[in-house]
Amino acid sequence: MKSPEGVTLVPLRKVAEGLGYEVKWITSEFAAELNKGAEWTNVIVGKNAYFYGKLAPITLEAAPVIQNESLYVPLTFVSDILHADVRNGDSGDIHIEKLK
């Protein structure tokens, strides 16, 4: 999916769980928390501030948004925050794999 600004967005839960993260939705904060062993991050709808561990927030191309009852984040969240390898396939599909 593309944002109105043309940023590629991906469904957070589907991607994160595919990479082995546990995803917890926090309704009161309109946020999602991701855990995988010692790795932790969270995202807040509408806030362009992404955390990895307890480090200072990083801004990316777009804030998380909810579309069709799913939370979407910029594709760069996957590479820059979750540290996964992201590649575009020949047919336009996206391949995501956790770096070792």
Side-chain angles (χ1 to χ4, degrees), residues 15-99:
V15 171
E17 287 179 348
L19 293 170
Y21 287 86
E22 178 183 325
V23 180
K24 178 181 173 186
W25 176 249
I26 305 166
T27 304
S28 62
E29 298 176 22
F30 243 60
E33 198 171 82
L34 285 71
N35 290 292
K36 181 179 177 183
E39 295 179 47
W40 175 90
T41 188
N42 78 330
V43 299
I44 301 169
V45 174
K47 188 171 182 182
N48 190 355
Y50 299 90
F51 298 87
Y52 182 75
K54 302 295 182 190
L55 301 175
I58 299 168
T59 58
L60 298 175
E61 304 89 347
V65 297
I66 294 183
Q67 183 77 27
N68 299 322
E69 299 183 13
S70 291
L71 179 60
Y72 285 81
V73 293
L75 182 59
T76 52
F77 173 83
V78 179
S79 58
D80 295 1
I81 305 298
L82 300 184
H83 302 288
D85 183 38
V86 177
R87 297 183 199 171
N88 292 317
D90 294 334
S91 60
D93 51 342
I94 300 170
H95 299 276
I96 299 171
E97 185 176 317
K98 185 68 176 171
L99 296 174

